[in-house]
Amino acid sequence: MYRRLMTSSALLIAVLAFLLDRWAASLTPNISQLETGHNNTVLFMTNSEYGLSNVFVATAYALLDRYPEIEVHYASFEQMAARIERVSDYGVRKAPLTRRITFHELPGPSFVDNMVNFGKTLTDAVHPPGLAGATVISRDMAFYVSPWSGEDHFRIFSKAKDIINEVNPALVVLDAFLRPAIDATRNCSRLHAFISPLTPLESFPLVQPYLGWLWKYPVMGSGIPYPIPWARTPESIYLNMRYFFSMFRMSHARATSQFLKSKGLTGLISWFNIHRPNVPWLTQALPRASTPLDVIPPNVTLTGPILLALSPAEEQSPGLVKWLSIAPTILVNLGSLFVWTEGQAAIMAQALADTLIERPDLQILWKLRKAPTDGTGTEYDDSFSMPLIPFLENGRAKLETWLDAEPLALMQTGHIVASIHHGGAGCYHEALGTGVPQIVLPQWLDHYSFAQLAENTGVGVWGCRNASPHWKADCLHDAISTVVGSGEKGNSLRRKASIFGNIVKKNPGQYVAAREVAKLAGSGY
């Protein structure tokens, strides 16, 4: 009975999904004739958060480095201004005649600021994988497609239009999660392209034949392996049904759409009308290190990891690199947004201490920002670190609130033997591109996809899978021991990570992306 119900429901949802897809496409104004801009002029329009913007900043720098004829402009929120300035500074230091990137500020709120305005916190975003997290998965991904109110959307849209008309670029490079800029670019009839930190599976499930999106591929946040085990197929179908129904429904965006319609913007806010067959789409996926799809649209380019370290770690922090050179080091860095509760920190401290006792040849570098214990920002004390105190005192462990050198630059030194991270697209691809084995502790949405992908690809392990999104000292210690150990699995992980790292180093993704952008930018007058 259960399977029969699942099958009929799935077929119904599949038909509805197809009709809604066609409906969404019909409500997206097509560009009948492109407006030609200044030749060799590129305008990036992106969010300011690191996880969303890293691939764009890396591509912008690669244009400075390899294509001096390209004039680069960058529009984002105020938080991005200093970062773009540093990129320009580094380019000029390397080659004094390098053109600087021109920054244009978009009015807020930014993506994360807007989440705060809606009362959403990172704690709210954390969820377990699979059925237990289905409600959060469906709710949050639809919200992330376009979290702005109608008034904020229109204000950002208007400013983006002004910037486009002022710069008059031959090409606009867009962030799929900055919907107001997408609408402005299309309203101005401009040639545009997308760069995505995600893999093709997250962007193009609906183009897969035979309703593959429904039964063949696991949905974001599910943590279901690929190929999907038969025993988990009903669960996967159910999760796909809920996810895609929510993504098509976009209930939170109705008021925004109505407001925009009153302002003359008739395009439907939808994830499924962003990609168009004639619009270039660049993804930092690497063949054999991302889920294989039956169909990848012909306008999609797989660039490989798009990475940027503004200078070698030796220049950023000579003292830290000197310490790294003492012994092989495990890097613990759960991303720029993650803050540690006292309980999480205490468990990690115990697991790391157990590892150092067992492996006297290793050392630990741990980036830790404490989560406040109340609304006034009060922090817990350092008693959580008791198991690590002997190692902090003898220099075999470092505990830092901020790293003096970029994590990517540290991994490029060759001294990092394992990266413990949260499963963000940036962390996964940085480790992949530097040949560093991974231990993934996923927290939400795409983190689970990359945790599973690390295992599928054979470059890492999903730590404490059965406890996710939490962890325990014993399973965390086991995951670390597997990755840095001398057993068959550890040797295999290191060998495969090294192979992929060498592939990326031969043809870095940021230069592949820059080449495609430069070609498109040469289409102006």
Side-chain angles (χ1 to χ4, degrees):
M1 170 68 77
Y2 173 73
R3 295 198 175 193
R4 201 176 313 137
L5 177 63
M6 287 288 294
T7 301
S8 25
S9 298
L11 290 173
L12 175 61
I13 292 293
V15 172
L16 289 174
F18 178 81
L19 294 175
L20 283 168
D21 186 34
R22 303 283 75 75
W23 177 55
S26 70
L27 290 180
T28 304
N30 286 313
I31 300 175
S32 56
Q33 184 171 352
L34 289 172
E35 191 78 24
T36 304
H38 288 315
N39 198 41
N40 291 330
T41 302
V42 176
L43 171 61
F44 290 83
M45 304 189 84
T46 81
N47 284 290
S48 53
E49 290 71 26
Y50 277 79
L52 295 173
S53 63
N54 282 345
V55 292
F56 299 95
V57 176
T59 303
Y61 171 73
L63 286 171
L64 297 187
D65 190 39
R66 293 276 180 92
Y67 301 91
E69 72 278 11
I70 301 293
E71 181 180 329
V72 181
H73 293 254
Y74 205 110
S76 186
F77 303 101
E78 63 176 346
Q79 299 93 325
M80 181 64 84
R83 194 169 171 213
I84 295 302
E85 186 74 9
R86 289 196 300 273
V87 172
S88 290
D89 288 345
Y90 182 60
V92 171
R93 282 203 308 274
K94 282 190 66 178
L97 296 181
T98 298
R99 297 193 202 197
R100 300 186 71 85
I101 300 173
T102 302
F103 183 75
H104 306 264
E105 184 176 324
L106 293 174
S110 68
F111 193 93
V112 165
D113 288 344
N114 201 62
M115 287 178 59
V116 174
N117 292 345
F118 276 86
K120 291 181 176 289
T121 66
L122 289 178
T123 302
D124 298 327
V126 173
H127 65 83
L131 291 173
T135 298
V136 178
I137 294 168
S138 301
R139 177 198 70 199
D140 284 0
M141 188 57 197
F143 178 78
Y144 297 149
V145 169
S146 188
W148 290 276
S149 68
E151 292 82 356
D152 289 335
H153 185 117
F154 189 72
R155 184 165 56 252
I156 298 168
F157 162 86
S158 299
K159 181 60 176 179
K161 275 190 67 177
D162 290 343
I163 293 170
I164 291 170
N165 291 329
E166 174 192 343
V167 174
N168 193 21
L171 175 71
V172 182
V173 181
L174 292 168
D175 176 350
F177 290 95
L178 187 56
R179 184 69 197 216
I182 297 172
D183 290 343
T185 301
R186 291 176 172 171
N187 187 268
C188 291
S189 301
R190 295 290 179 158
L191 177 67
H192 56 284
F194 289 90
I195 302 178
S196 174
L198 299 175
T199 72
L201 176 58
E202 289 80 41
S203 302
F204 308 111
L206 292 185
V207 304
Q208 304 311 308
Y210 310 113
L211 300 178
W213 63 269
L214 182 64
W215 60 271
K216 186 172 183 178
Y217 297 101
V219 75
M220 183 188 299
S222 69
I224 295 175
Y226 177 85
I228 298 173
W230 281 109
R232 299 196 67 179
T233 297
E235 175 191 358
S236 184
I237 290 174
Y238 173 75
L239 289 172
N240 271 297
M241 287 163 51
R242 287 199 60 175
Y243 174 86
F244 283 102
F245 181 74
S246 177
M247 291 290 279
F248 278 114
R249 190 164 172 254
M250 293 287 289
S251 57
H252 79 283
R254 288 176 184 168
T256 298
S257 294
Q258 289 173 358
F259 179 87
L260 296 177
K261 189 175 182 180
S262 74
K263 296 292 185 178
L265 296 178
T266 57
L268 184 71
I269 294 178
S270 169
W271 178 249
F272 302 106
N273 61 14
I274 294 176
H275 171 258
R276 290 175 171 176
N278 61 342
V279 174
W281 187 287
L282 311 179
T283 166
Q284 66 172 338
L286 186 70
R288 297 192 297 127
S290 59
T291 301
L293 299 183
D294 290 331
V295 173
I296 293 180
N299 61 319
V300 175
T301 300
L302 276 61
T303 66
I306 300 174
L307 309 175
L308 175 63
L310 283 179
S311 58
E314 292 82 359
E315 292 181 15
Q316 297 182 43
S317 182
L320 181 55
V321 174
K322 184 177 180 181
W323 177 81
L324 288 176
S325 67
I326 295 173
T329 304
I330 298 171
L331 174 64
V332 185
N333 173 32
L334 269 62
S336 59
L337 296 178
F338 188 83
V339 289
W340 295 74
T341 66
E342 187 172 12
Q344 290 171 323
I347 294 171
M348 178 63 74
Q350 185 62 62
L352 295 177
D354 292 343
T355 299
L356 291 176
I357 292 170
E358 187 178 89
R359 291 290 301 271
D361 58 318
L362 298 176
Q363 58 186 19
I364 302 287
L365 176 59
W366 180 7
K367 178 197 165 190
L368 179 144
R369 286 196 304 135
K370 295 178 181 179
T373 57
D374 58 34
T376 66
T378 304
E379 292 185 349
Y380 51 88
D381 61 28
D382 291 337
S383 59
F384 75 90
S385 63
M386 286 293 293
L388 275 177
I389 285 179
F391 306 105
L392 292 168
E393 291 177 345
N394 68 19
R396 289 186 59 208
K398 279 186 177 292
L399 190 54
E400 308 286 352
T401 57
W402 192 256
L403 298 175
D404 292 334
E406 297 162 295
L408 174 62
L410 295 177
M411 287 190 280
Q412 288 173 336
T413 64
H415 299 310
I416 305 298
V417 294
S419 171
I420 301 178
H421 64 81
H422 63 313
C427 289
Y428 171 82
H429 286 103
E430 285 180 355
L432 186 74
T434 53
V436 176
Q438 312 179 34
I439 298 147
V440 188
L441 304 175
Q443 298 294 292
W444 57 75
L445 288 173
D446 60 315
H447 297 180
Y448 290 105
S449 300
F450 284 107
Q452 185 59 55
L453 187 55
E455 294 219 344
N456 293 346
T457 305
V459 296
V461 299
W462 177 342
C464 298
R465 175 192 286 266
N466 293 332
S468 291
H470 310 293
W471 48 80
K472 300 176 181 179
D474 55 353
C475 60
L476 190 51
H477 169 260
D478 290 345
I480 297 171
S481 296
T482 296
V483 171
V484 300
S486 58
E488 183 178 344
K489 185 165 185 180
N491 290 330
S492 174
L493 291 171
R494 288 189 291 276
R495 183 174 63 254
K496 289 183 179 179
S498 177
I499 289 171
F500 282 114
N502 289 332
I503 290 172
V504 173
K505 289 168 190 173
K506 290 177 183 176
N507 197 20
Q510 61 270 26
Y511 291 111
V512 177
R515 183 180 65 229
E516 296 302 314
V517 169
K519 283 194 295 187
L520 292 166
S523 63
Y525 60 80

